[in-house]
Amino acid sequence: MKILFISHDASRTGAPILLLNLAKLLLKFKEFEVTFLLKNGGILEEDFSSTSPTYFVKKNTSKKGFWDYLKTKKCIVEDKGFLNKFDLIVSNTITNGEILETIRKNYGGKIISYIHELEIGAKAFSNEAKHNKNNKKLIAILGSMFNCK
Protein backbone atom coordinates (compact mmCIF):
# COMPACT_ATOMS: atom_id res chain seq x y z
CA MET A 1 0.00 0.00 0.00
CA LYS A 2 1.37 3.39 -1.02
CA ILE A 3 0.67 6.13 1.52
CA LEU A 4 1.27 9.87 1.20
CA PHE A 5 1.73 11.50 4.60
CA ILE A 6 1.12 15.25 4.67
CA SER A 7 2.64 17.36 7.43
CA HIS A 8 2.13 21.09 7.90
CA ASP A 9 5.87 21.41 8.55
CA ALA A 10 8.99 19.62 9.75
CA SER A 11 9.31 21.37 13.10
CA ARG A 12 10.32 19.56 16.26
CA THR A 13 6.75 19.61 17.56
CA GLY A 14 4.11 16.99 18.29
CA ALA A 15 2.31 16.54 14.96
CA PRO A 16 5.38 16.17 12.71
CA ILE A 17 7.13 13.88 15.20
CA LEU A 18 4.01 11.72 15.51
CA LEU A 19 3.72 11.43 11.73
CA LEU A 20 7.40 10.61 11.32
CA ASN A 21 7.19 7.90 14.00
CA LEU A 22 4.04 6.42 12.47
CA ALA A 23 5.73 6.25 9.06
CA LYS A 24 8.81 4.57 10.55
CA LEU A 25 6.58 1.99 12.21
CA LEU A 26 4.68 1.24 8.99
CA LEU A 27 7.93 0.93 7.03
CA LYS A 28 8.87 -2.07 9.18
CA PHE A 29 6.20 -3.94 7.22
CA LYS A 30 7.02 -4.71 3.58
CA GLU A 31 3.50 -4.00 2.34
CA PHE A 32 3.76 -0.27 3.03
CA GLU A 33 5.50 2.41 0.96
CA VAL A 34 5.58 5.88 2.47
CA THR A 35 6.13 9.29 0.90
CA PHE A 36 6.04 12.63 2.71
CA LEU A 37 4.61 15.93 1.53
CA LEU A 38 5.61 18.84 3.75
CA LYS A 39 3.63 22.06 3.53
CA ASN A 40 6.63 23.91 4.99
CA GLY A 41 10.14 22.91 5.98
CA GLY A 42 11.77 22.84 9.38
CA ILE A 43 14.49 21.38 11.52
CA LEU A 44 13.34 17.76 10.93
CA GLU A 45 13.57 17.94 7.11
CA GLU A 46 16.57 15.63 7.09
CA ASP A 47 14.77 13.11 9.33
CA PHE A 48 11.83 13.03 6.92
CA SER A 49 14.09 12.78 3.86
CA SER A 50 16.23 10.00 5.33
CA THR A 51 13.10 7.99 6.17
CA SER A 52 11.27 8.20 2.81
CA PRO A 53 11.00 10.33 -0.33
CA THR A 54 10.01 13.84 0.74
CA TYR A 55 8.39 16.61 -1.30
CA PHE A 56 7.53 20.19 -0.38
CA VAL A 57 4.47 22.27 -1.18
CA LYS A 58 6.67 25.31 -0.76
CA LYS A 59 10.30 25.06 0.21
CA ASN A 60 10.86 28.63 1.30
CA THR A 61 8.54 31.09 2.92
CA SER A 62 7.78 34.37 1.25
CA LYS A 63 5.48 37.29 1.82
CA LYS A 64 3.02 35.85 -0.67
CA GLY A 65 0.12 33.89 0.75
CA PHE A 66 -0.41 30.20 0.02
CA TRP A 67 -3.16 30.78 -2.56
CA ASP A 68 -0.98 33.35 -4.36
CA TYR A 69 1.68 30.65 -4.51
CA LEU A 70 -0.79 28.21 -6.08
CA LYS A 71 -1.82 30.79 -8.66
CA THR A 72 1.74 31.50 -9.75
CA LYS A 73 3.19 27.98 -9.90
CA LYS A 74 1.94 24.50 -10.78
CA CYS A 75 2.06 22.94 -7.37
CA ILE A 76 2.50 19.30 -6.39
CA VAL A 77 -0.98 19.31 -4.78
CA GLU A 78 -2.40 19.96 -8.28
CA ASP A 79 -0.47 17.10 -9.90
CA LYS A 80 -3.01 14.32 -10.53
CA GLY A 81 -0.32 11.93 -11.72
CA PHE A 82 1.65 12.35 -8.50
CA LEU A 83 -1.34 12.21 -6.13
CA ASN A 84 -3.20 9.30 -7.71
CA LYS A 85 -0.29 6.91 -7.43
CA PHE A 86 -1.10 6.68 -3.71
CA ASP A 87 -3.68 4.32 -2.23
CA LEU A 88 -4.22 6.58 0.76
CA ILE A 89 -3.39 10.10 1.91
CA VAL A 90 -2.94 10.81 5.62
CA SER A 91 -2.89 14.42 6.88
CA ASN A 92 -1.57 15.13 10.36
CA THR A 93 -3.36 18.31 11.42
CA ILE A 94 -6.33 20.57 10.88
CA THR A 95 -3.98 23.24 9.53
CA ASN A 96 -3.63 21.26 6.27
CA GLY A 97 -7.25 22.05 5.36
CA GLU A 98 -6.30 24.57 2.69
CA ILE A 99 -4.10 22.15 0.76
CA LEU A 100 -6.54 19.27 1.26
CA GLU A 101 -9.13 21.37 -0.56
CA THR A 102 -6.86 21.45 -3.62
CA ILE A 103 -5.80 17.82 -3.24
CA ARG A 104 -9.43 16.65 -3.20
CA LYS A 105 -9.96 18.20 -6.62
CA ASN A 106 -7.06 16.18 -8.01
CA TYR A 107 -7.16 12.91 -6.04
CA GLY A 108 -9.73 10.14 -6.31
CA GLY A 109 -8.83 8.09 -3.24
CA LYS A 110 -9.43 8.19 0.48
CA ILE A 111 -7.99 10.84 2.79
CA ILE A 112 -7.54 10.35 6.51
CA SER A 113 -7.08 13.52 8.53
CA TYR A 114 -5.82 13.12 12.08
CA ILE A 115 -7.28 16.15 13.85
CA HIS A 116 -5.46 16.23 17.17
CA GLU A 117 -6.01 19.89 17.98
CA LEU A 118 -8.12 20.67 20.98
CA GLU A 119 -11.31 22.70 20.61
CA ILE A 120 -9.49 26.01 21.05
CA GLY A 121 -7.09 25.10 18.21
CA ALA A 122 -9.95 24.00 16.00
CA LYS A 123 -11.66 27.35 16.52
CA ALA A 124 -8.45 29.19 15.67
CA PHE A 125 -8.26 27.27 12.39
CA SER A 126 -12.01 27.30 11.69
CA ASN A 127 -11.45 27.92 7.96
CA GLU A 128 -9.36 24.75 7.71
CA ALA A 129 -11.99 22.87 9.72
CA LYS A 130 -14.57 23.92 7.13
CA HIS A 131 -12.39 22.53 4.33
CA ASN A 132 -12.03 19.23 6.19
CA LYS A 133 -15.73 19.01 7.09
CA ASN A 134 -16.89 19.46 3.48
CA ASN A 135 -14.84 16.52 2.20
CA LYS A 136 -17.00 13.48 1.45
CA LYS A 137 -13.92 11.28 0.98
CA LEU A 138 -12.37 12.29 4.29
CA ILE A 139 -12.09 10.13 7.36
CA ALA A 140 -11.35 12.40 10.32
CA ILE A 141 -9.89 11.03 13.52
CA LEU A 142 -10.45 13.58 16.22
CA GLY A 143 -7.92 13.67 19.02
CA SER A 144 -10.62 14.71 21.49
CA MET A 145 -12.30 11.33 20.93
CA PHE A 146 -9.46 9.80 22.94
CA ASN A 147 -9.66 12.16 25.89
CA CYS A 148 -8.68 10.14 28.94
CA LYS A 149 -9.87 11.25 32.37
Side-chain angles (χ1 to χ4, degrees):
M1 173 181 267
K2 292 183 176 185
I3 304 172
L4 176 64
F5 282 109
I6 303 173
S7 182
H8 67 294
D9 65 26
S11 61
R12 194 177 305 279
T13 57
I17 292 171
L18 176 79
L19 199 67
L20 190 57
N21 289 336
L22 176 59
K24 288 177 181 179
L25 177 68
L26 289 176
L27 287 169
K28 291 182 179 183
F29 302 94
K30 293 183 185 200
E31 60 266 20
F32 294 104
E33 291 180 42
V34 170
T35 301
F36 295 111
L37 176 60
L38 304 178
K39 189 173 162 185
N40 293 292
I43 196 159
L44 295 178
E45 284 179 33
E46 191 172 311
D47 296 80
F48 279 95
S49 296
S50 66
T51 301
S52 280
T54 302
Y55 298 86
F56 294 85
V57 174
K58 52 182 178 178
K59 179 71 173 161
N60 54 3
T61 54
S62 69
K63 293 184 179 182
K64 285 187 167 185
F66 175 74
W67 293 109
D68 293 328
Y69 180 85
L70 284 182
K71 290 175 191 169
T72 59
K73 295 184 180 181
K74 172 113 173 142
C75 188
I76 199 164
V77 296
E78 298 172 312
D79 187 340
K80 290 181 183 183
F82 173 78
L83 294 172
N84 286 293
K85 70 181 180 182
F86 298 101
D87 302 304
L88 179 66
I89 293 178
V90 178
S91 172
N92 76 334
T93 173
I94 197 169
T95 64
N96 287 335
E98 62 183 346
I99 63 172
L100 290 178
E101 184 75 16
T102 303
I103 287 172
R104 272 195 302 279
K105 294 174 185 171
N106 298 291
Y107 175 69
K110 298 279 186 197
I111 300 171
I112 295 176
S113 192
Y114 176 54
I115 311 296
H116 56 88
E117 286 85 357
L118 299 174
E119 185 178 354
I120 192 165
K123 286 179 181 176
F125 296 104
S126 61
N127 194 35
E128 283 83 358
K130 178 187 73 133
H131 290 306
N132 286 322
K133 184 179 176 184
N134 292 332
N135 182 6
K136 294 182 176 130
K137 296 178 187 173
L138 174 71
I139 300 167
I141 302 171
L142 306 176
S144 61
M145 291 172 54
F146 306 103
N147 189 5
C148 300
K149 295 186 180 194

